[in-house]
Structure formats: structure tokens, C-alpha cells
Amino acid sequence: MQVYDCCTLVRQRYAEIGSGEQGYIPKAIHCAIKTLNSIASDDSLPEETRDQAAFAAANLLISDHEDA
């Protein structure tokens, strides 16, 4: 997936990080899994949203990508 395939909010944050306006997080996979886990465990969100977040987090955990 490329940044241009993402929603406006993701593209906005991407531009902010790229310009130095927002901080870059070197351990981005850890950050993504932590965020997805937070979404998956939030009972106030719709079940479909929570399931999508859990599926994405599980796939990241099982993938061969690791933060250095």
C-alpha cells in the first residue's frame, strides 16, 4: 500500500512527519501493534472495527517484519 492509497488523515500525518512537524517513531511496527491492540480492546467501538484492528495486529505480530 502506498500513502496515496490512504485516507486524507493518514496522508496529512504522513506529510507532517515527513516535514518534521510531527515526530518520527523509529519502532513503527511496535507503535502500530500497540495502537491496534488499543482499538481492538475498546468495548465502546463497533465489533467490526475491533475485529479489523485485531486481525491487523495479529498479522503484524506473525509477519517476519521486526523493528530494529
Side-chain angles (χ1 to χ4, degrees), residues 3-42:
V3 69
Y4 300 106
D5 297 324
C6 295
C7 71
T8 302
L9 186 56
V10 170
R11 292 192 316 267
Q12 179 182 346
R13 294 296 178 259
Y14 182 90
E16 291 169 355
I17 292 168
S19 71
E21 187 177 332
Q22 288 284 331
Y24 169 73
I25 299 173
K27 298 201 179 244
I29 294 172
H30 175 81
C31 176
I33 292 170
K34 187 175 176 183
T35 301
L36 291 165
N37 182 63
S38 177
I39 293 167
S41 63
D42 187 342

Side-chain angles (χ1 to χ4, degrees), residues 41-55:
S41 63
D42 187 342
D43 291 334
S44 70
L45 296 173
E47 186 65 30
E48 181 180 359
T49 301
R50 295 176 62 216
D51 189 55
Q52 289 172 345
F55 184 77

